[in-house]
Amino acid sequence: MSDTIAAISTSSLGSGGIGIVRISGDDAINIADKVFIGKNGKKLSDAETHTIHYGNIRDEHDNIVDEVLVSVMKAPNTYTREDVIEINTHGGNLVTGKVLECVLNAGAIAAEPGEFTKRAFLNGRIDLSKAEAVIDIINSKTEFNLRNSMGQLNGRLTREIDNLRDTILDEIAYMEAAMDDPENIPMEDHLEDLKNTVNNLIKRIGKLKDTYKEGSLLKEGITTVIVGKTNAGKSSLLNLLTGDESAIVTDIAGTTRDTVKEQISLGGILINLVDTAGIRDTDDIVEAMGIRKAKEHLNDADLVIYVVDSTGNMGDEDREIINLLKNKNYIVLLNKSDMNQTVTPEELYKNGIDKNIHIINFSTVTADGLEQLTSVIKEMFSLNDILINDEIVITNSRHKYLLDESIKSLNLALDGIDAGFSEDLISIDIYNSYIALGKILGKEIEDDLADRIFEKFCMGK
């Protein structure tokens, strides 16, 4: 890590009032001195740490590029534990790009995506779970995801994993001592206590792992497909939920011919919405392709919202849709509840809707039923407690896999105890559990895996 890196650390979208070019490495301050001329004439290398300085950035031809404020932060009390310079420029892609160009010409190299956070991890400032929380915070789209990621960044998961590893390490230390001094530390007297400890560890790790099912849904979103006959109000529902004219709405049957996808937050839940073509018999080739896509999307859906025009009549097309919904998670919206309804829940039951399915009177015009829809989705996916309780929730598939591996190793240790295996064989399985938990925090992690994790980060972070 001898290279000094630089990148634009502010969003490239739009033109904000301020842009930031970040430099990190042993030569960060010297490189900044080559391009920065302070109004007081002082060098940044002579500045105190964590101070801000006013002046200009000049290019290699001594032309003023921008008027800036420069923050000087000296190691080790920085994000990367290296010397860090942050140049606060005027906003806009052009000017920040020009300032970065000056810095690169002065000797810095362009940072890779996530390289600043990777250096923070490699230099021991944060563990890997905290590093992963950084990108989760940046990508958060709901209050839950932000709160959960902040908890992970602040060390909640780290403390729990460290506590589990400490318990395991105590058992390994006892077994090593018993093997070294069997006369004074008999292992036979400790086997029952060991079994109890291992069983307790399995329960604790299992409880943590079991949060992944709901946690991953809250992080990635519930894939929700909207289906129904033509003109039932599917596109109107999409527009209501997104708060935008995401789909064209007309009285002409077959207006929606392709799938329309949007991502929304509904009551704190991330929903990946898919509006589909109305399912009906048609000779229109393009519309028929859209209907085929609608049926394909049903297979990948976590949830299906079946929109029924409650002012019309049930027919063969409804029965075809109901048949497609068998063995799927779905909700029925009796749309147009603000008008004279002719379709009742009883008629839906007669046409094949299961009596355990939630049926909601709904209006895309007045939004009547929206609160109930939100409540039902939370109930169906058991999200109420997890949204309210301030507990550790696993949302990372890598963490879930390693928790599984840890439990597998502990179960092997239990099998070994019951089978009368020697202490050294049992301790290997217990140690493997310790290693798996450590990998969550980045202990003994392979370089190529670290590279894969950090390359998912945005530039400049």
Side-chain angles (χ1 to χ4, degrees), residues 246-300:
S246 300
I248 298 171
V249 177
T250 75
D251 292 329
I252 302 170
T255 300
T256 302
R257 295 182 169 218
D258 200 355
T259 53
V260 181
K261 299 180 181 180
E262 293 285 347
Q263 192 173 65
I264 65 162
S265 175
L266 184 65
I269 311 168
L270 194 62
I271 303 287
N272 302 315
L273 278 176
V274 183
D275 180 27
T276 62
I279 295 177
R280 65 170 182 165
D281 292 327
T282 179
D283 295 326
D284 187 298
I285 295 174
V286 177
E287 187 182 355
M289 291 174 65
I291 293 169
R292 187 173 68 251
K293 279 189 178 182
K295 294 177 180 179
E296 290 173 356
H297 279 294
L298 281 175
N299 296 325
D300 300 324

Side-chain angles (χ1 to χ4, degrees), residues 48-112:
E48 294 292 324
T49 186
H50 292 79
T51 54
I52 299 176
H53 306 270
Y54 169 60
N56 293 317
I57 296 294
R58 294 177 179 266
D59 64 19
E60 65 269 30
H61 304 297
D62 206 32
N63 297 315
I64 294 177
V65 174
D66 194 20
E67 185 180 38
V68 300
L69 290 173
V70 176
S71 301
V72 177
M73 294 166 279
K74 296 181 180 180
N77 297 319
T78 68
Y79 183 67
T80 59
R81 282 195 172 165
E82 302 172 335
D83 287 342
V84 171
I85 293 287
E86 287 189 351
I87 304 172
N88 291 259
T89 74
H90 286 92
N93 295 338
L94 180 61
V95 66
T96 50
K98 288 285 188 183
V99 171
L100 176 61
E101 184 180 341
C102 292
V103 170
L104 297 177
N105 288 337
I109 66 169
E112 297 292 330

Side-chain angles (χ1 to χ4, degrees), residues 73-301:
M73 294 166 279
K74 296 181 180 180
N77 297 319
T78 68
Y79 183 67
T80 59
R81 282 195 172 165
E82 302 172 335
D83 287 342
V84 171
I85 293 287
E86 287 189 351
I87 304 172
N88 291 259
T89 74
H90 286 92
N93 295 338
L94 180 61
V95 66
T96 50
K98 288 285 188 183
V99 171
L100 176 61
E101 184 180 341
C102 292
V103 170
L104 297 177
N105 288 337
I109 66 169
E112 297 292 330
E115 192 167 357
F116 292 99
T117 305
K118 184 178 181 180
R119 290 190 176 202
F121 163 62
L122 294 175
N123 290 330
R125 183 184 172 277
I126 56 176
D127 62 49
L128 193 55
S129 73
K130 292 180 181 179
E132 288 168 314
V134 171
I135 193 63
D136 286 342
I137 288 170
I138 293 170
N139 292 332
S140 290
K141 294 182 176 68
T142 66
E143 187 68 31
F144 165 81
N145 286 332
L146 179 58
R147 186 180 74 243
N148 192 59
S149 300
M150 280 301 303
Q152 187 170 312
L153 181 60
N154 290 331
R156 293 180 64 198
L157 179 59
T158 299
R159 289 189 290 274
E160 179 64 17
I161 297 299
D162 278 340
N163 189 281
L164 290 166
R165 278 166 53 89
D166 284 345
T167 301
I168 293 173
L169 202 58
D170 286 343
E171 290 300 336
I172 293 172
Y174 187 95
M175 294 174 74
E176 292 289 338
M179 286 186 281
D180 289 341
D181 189 7
E183 292 184 3
N184 295 312
I185 309 176
M187 191 64 199
E188 293 79 8
D189 297 341
H190 184 66
L191 284 178
E192 198 58 38
D193 287 340
L194 176 61
K195 284 184 67 173
N196 290 336
T197 299
V198 171
N199 275 313
N200 184 255
L201 284 165
I202 290 171
K203 288 179 183 177
R204 287 172 60 191
I205 298 170
K207 182 181 178 182
L208 195 58
K209 183 203 74 173
D210 288 345
T211 65
Y212 177 75
K213 181 180 177 181
E214 291 80 14
S216 61
L217 280 176
L218 287 168
K219 178 183 177 182
E220 303 298 335
I222 300 172
T223 299
T224 304
V225 176
I226 305 171
V227 299
K229 290 193 302 188
T230 56
N231 282 354
K234 301 183 301 301
S235 296
S236 295
L237 175 63
L238 178 73
N239 291 343
L240 172 67
L241 295 175
T242 61
D244 196 8
E245 296 298 318
S246 300
I248 298 171
V249 177
T250 75
D251 292 329
I252 302 170
T255 300
T256 302
R257 295 182 169 218
D258 200 355
T259 53
V260 181
K261 299 180 181 180
E262 293 285 347
Q263 192 173 65
I264 65 162
S265 175
L266 184 65
I269 311 168
L270 194 62
I271 303 287
N272 302 315
L273 278 176
V274 183
D275 180 27
T276 62
I279 295 177
R280 65 170 182 165
D281 292 327
T282 179
D283 295 326
D284 187 298
I285 295 174
V286 177
E287 187 182 355
M289 291 174 65
I291 293 169
R292 187 173 68 251
K293 279 189 178 182
K295 294 177 180 179
E296 290 173 356
H297 279 294
L298 281 175
N299 296 325
D300 300 324

Side-chain angles (χ1 to χ4, degrees), residues 17-30:
I18 296 173
I20 296 176
V21 174
R22 178 184 285 170
I23 315 170
S24 181
D26 294 340
D27 208 27
I29 298 174
N30 289 332

Side-chain angles (χ1 to χ4, degrees), residues 433-444:
S433 175
Y434 176 83
I435 292 296
L437 292 175
K439 287 181 178 179
I440 293 174
L441 307 182
K443 301 179 189 298
E444 300 184 38

